[in-house]
Structures are given as C-alpha cells and as structure tokens.
Amino acid sequence: MMSKTLPLLLITSALALAACSGKSKDDVASPSTNPALSVPNGPPAVANPTVGGVPMMATRTIVDNASAAPNLSTLVAAVKAADLVGTLSGPGPFTVFAPTNDAFGRLAPGMVDTLLKPENKASLTKVLTYHVVPGVITADDLRQRITAGGGTATLTTVEGDPITATMVGAVIALTDVNGNKSYVETADVRQSNGVVHVVNGVIVPKLS
C-alpha cells in the first residue's frame, strides 16, 4: 500500500521545481524586470483598487470580491476545494496575500490539478492558509515593520510557518520558508473582513 506521505513528498518536489523553467525564482517575478509591479509611495487612495479590471467593494467579504475578479479564479477554486469559503467569509479580520492565476500557472505543470484532488486537501489547505495572516496589515504597516526590523519583517501565518517581508525598491516582497519570492502587485484592497494584497507568486510552506 502506498505510503500516506508519498503524495505530500511529490507535491513538495513539484513545487520546488516551479522555478525551473529557465528563470530563477527571483527573475520570474522580480520588479527589476517588470516595472509595472511598483507600489506607489504615499497614502493609499480612498477608492479601492480594481483587481482584474473589476471594482472591489469594501463592503463585501474576501471570498465575494475574489469571486468577482477574473484573475483570481484559480484561487477561488482552490479555496472552495479546501472548504475555506466559510472561514474566509467569516468576521476575521484577515490579511490575505492572493496569488493570481498567472502565479498559479508558474507552478510545475499539473501541480494545480494535483493540489485540487480530494486526497490532497490537507496539502492544499496548508498552502492556502500560508497566504493568510490574522488581523489587518496594510502596505504601510508592512513598510513600517520592515523599517523597524532593519530591513525585514516576519509575519506569522494562519498555517503556522513564517513569511519574511522585505522591500525591493518600492515593492513589497514576500519570501517563504523555501526561499521562493512573491511580489505585491496590488496592495490594500479593502474587504469587509480584512484586506487583500494581490501577489504574483505562490508561496509554499513546509510540506511533509
């Protein structure tokens, strides 16, 4: 009988190969190669940013707004598969680093389909909750924590493993426990139960 740990080991190995497409994990999402990732300095605008060209309503929950954004459809499918709709529709508040469809597309081929299988629900839940931090943490909060920490800030996720936040120029970067980086594309999307920062990479916790 196949060991129960084998699917987790396969997932871990495949996720580790996500950057093996001819680019380093830093090059794939680096703001130095994509100026569009810049986060403007100064106070946030009063109006909520759009996501995927769709207005985000501060009176709606994280799940409701994500469901309306065409570039977050893979994330929404994953949240449903992991039975996290109720949690992320609850009062929270939560800070969610939301990977785009393109971010999921950078994973190893077939990895998203593998994670969405019922037998891998535990691994999918770990990956998703690794993108969630309790409370409301704005981009300004992150920048202040990074400055106060001498260039780094450690965030404790709902999953339990930490995320390290740093600045790359004016862009907020997130580094997971495996050394993979993700960059904030759209910050401070306010929700009725928290705040969402749209990111261009999937960060991965320890899977064993």
Side-chain angles (χ1 to χ4, degrees):
M1 184 175 179
M2 184 180 293
S3 169
K4 294 182 179 179
T5 62
L6 184 55
L8 292 178
L9 292 173
L10 291 174
I11 289 170
T12 303
S13 299
L15 289 169
L17 293 174
C20 297
S21 59
K23 298 179 180 180
S24 72
K25 56 178 175 286
D26 286 355
D27 289 339
V28 167
S30 173
S32 64
T33 58
N34 189 350
L37 300 185
S38 296
V39 176
N41 292 322
V46 174
N48 241 4
T50 60
V51 176
V54 176
M56 298 285 102
M57 304 300 179
T59 55
R60 293 178 181 171
T61 67
I62 292 166
V63 173
D64 287 341
N65 273 323
S67 297
N71 62 336
L72 298 181
S73 59
T74 303
L75 174 62
V76 172
V79 167
K80 290 178 179 178
D83 289 333
L84 291 174
V85 171
T87 300
L88 293 178
S89 297
F94 305 107
T95 295
V96 175
F97 298 101
T100 61
N101 295 347
D102 287 345
F104 280 102
R106 293 191 181 102
L107 296 177
M111 182 46 50
V112 172
D113 289 339
T114 299
L115 283 171
L116 292 176
K117 290 181 179 180
E119 60 265 32
N120 293 322
K121 180 179 176 181
S123 295
L124 177 62
T125 300
K126 283 178 68 68
V127 171
L128 292 177
T129 54
Y130 189 49
H131 291 76
V132 182
V133 177
V136 174
I137 305 174
T138 67
D140 278 345
D141 292 334
L142 280 172
R143 286 188 280 265
Q144 290 173 19
R145 291 191 188 192
I146 291 166
T147 299
T152 64
T154 301
L155 307 177
T156 301
T157 66
V158 170
E159 184 273 336
D161 282 334
I163 300 170
T164 301
T166 57
M167 298 300 300
V168 178
V171 181
I172 297 170
L174 307 173
T175 304
D176 65 24
V177 290
N178 302 296
N180 301 304
K181 279 187 168 57
S182 175
Y183 298 87
V184 174
E185 287 186 333
T186 305
D188 295 334
V189 187
R190 300 186 311 280
Q191 321 283 319
S192 64
N193 59 341
V195 64
V196 166
H197 304 292
V198 180
V199 296
N200 70 344
V202 178
I203 52 176
V204 184
K206 293 178 181 177
L207 297 172
S208 58

